Amino acid sequence: MAIERTLSILKPDATRRNITGKIITCFEDAGLRVVAQRRVHLTPDQAGAFYAVHKERPFYNDLVSFMSSGPVVVQVLEGENAVQKHRDVMGATNPKDATPGTVRALFALSIDENSVHGSDSLENAKNEIAFFFKDTDIVG
Ligand code: CMP
């Protein structure tokens, strides 16, 4: 299977509750490696640009407001089948639907405060990684 990279964000509800290490452990235990990482407090403009694909959705304003409400950890995870593996470990967007043992089942507070974001395709992963990191920031 191919070695891939995916973009992972630990959201403000995770930094606020000081559980970023617990969440990263879930990804590492699944065989994913952190190859780039930064803690950043996004401006509303930055959060809005990152989630521009959702601009027309009714939850967009709340999403932008939440994602700029506190620090996040942005990271690149690398491993076999990383895009899908990361999504499997995250669990469903709404924690009510998330499989027991997944990050969102374990830690998410609601569909809005759902602790983590992950790229949904290899193509989006490349774009999302480039949004936050230069090639030289990534050390495999
Ligand atoms: P994320 O994977 O970061 O992608 C967009 C985010 O919008 C999503 O996680 C949720 O936190 C948030 N969101 C809020 N309401 C919805 C919804 N109805 N469908 C999808 N995402 C939603």
Side-chain angles (χ1 to χ4, degrees):
M1 221 172 277
I3 300 293
E4 297 175 350
R5 287 174 174 172
T6 192
L7 195 274
S8 171
I9 304 179
L10 310 181
K11 295 189 178 186
D13 67 282
T15 59
R16 188 178 75 229
R17 289 178 289 152
N18 204 25
I19 56 171
T20 59
K22 286 182 179 152
I23 295 174
I24 292 165
T25 295
C26 295
F27 297 136
E28 290 181 336
D29 285 350
L32 296 166
R33 306 180 71 85
V34 178
V35 294
Q37 193 178 58
R38 186 163 79 250
R39 189 175 178 100
V40 57
H41 193 144
L42 298 174
T43 65
D45 279 355
Q46 287 172 316
F50 181 78
Y51 279 114
V53 65
H54 294 307
K55 210 174 176 91
E56 307 306 325
R57 307 286 291 275
F59 56 82
Y60 178 73
N61 287 343
D62 286 345
L63 175 61
V64 169
S65 162
F66 171 58
M67 290 301 289
S68 55
S69 69
V72 299
V73 175
V74 292
Q75 55 187 5
V76 179
L77 301 180
E78 182 180 86
E80 279 190 10
N81 205 21
V83 173
Q84 189 57 49
K85 186 177 283 184
H86 182 225
R87 291 181 71 77
D88 290 347
V89 177
M90 286 196 301
T93 305
N94 189 338
K96 289 186 181 137
D97 303 325
T99 302
T102 60
V103 167
R104 283 164 170 159
L106 287 168
F107 300 112
L109 301 174
S110 67
I111 191 169
D112 298 300
E113 296 196 301
N114 66 350
S115 305
V116 281
H117 166 83
S119 309
D120 64 3
S121 69
L122 197 51
E123 189 188 347
N124 284 343
K126 289 191 172 122
N127 293 332
E128 292 185 357
I129 289 169
F131 187 94
F132 288 109
F133 295 100
K134 300 190 293 269
D135 281 352
T136 50
D137 294 331
I138 302 171
V139 182

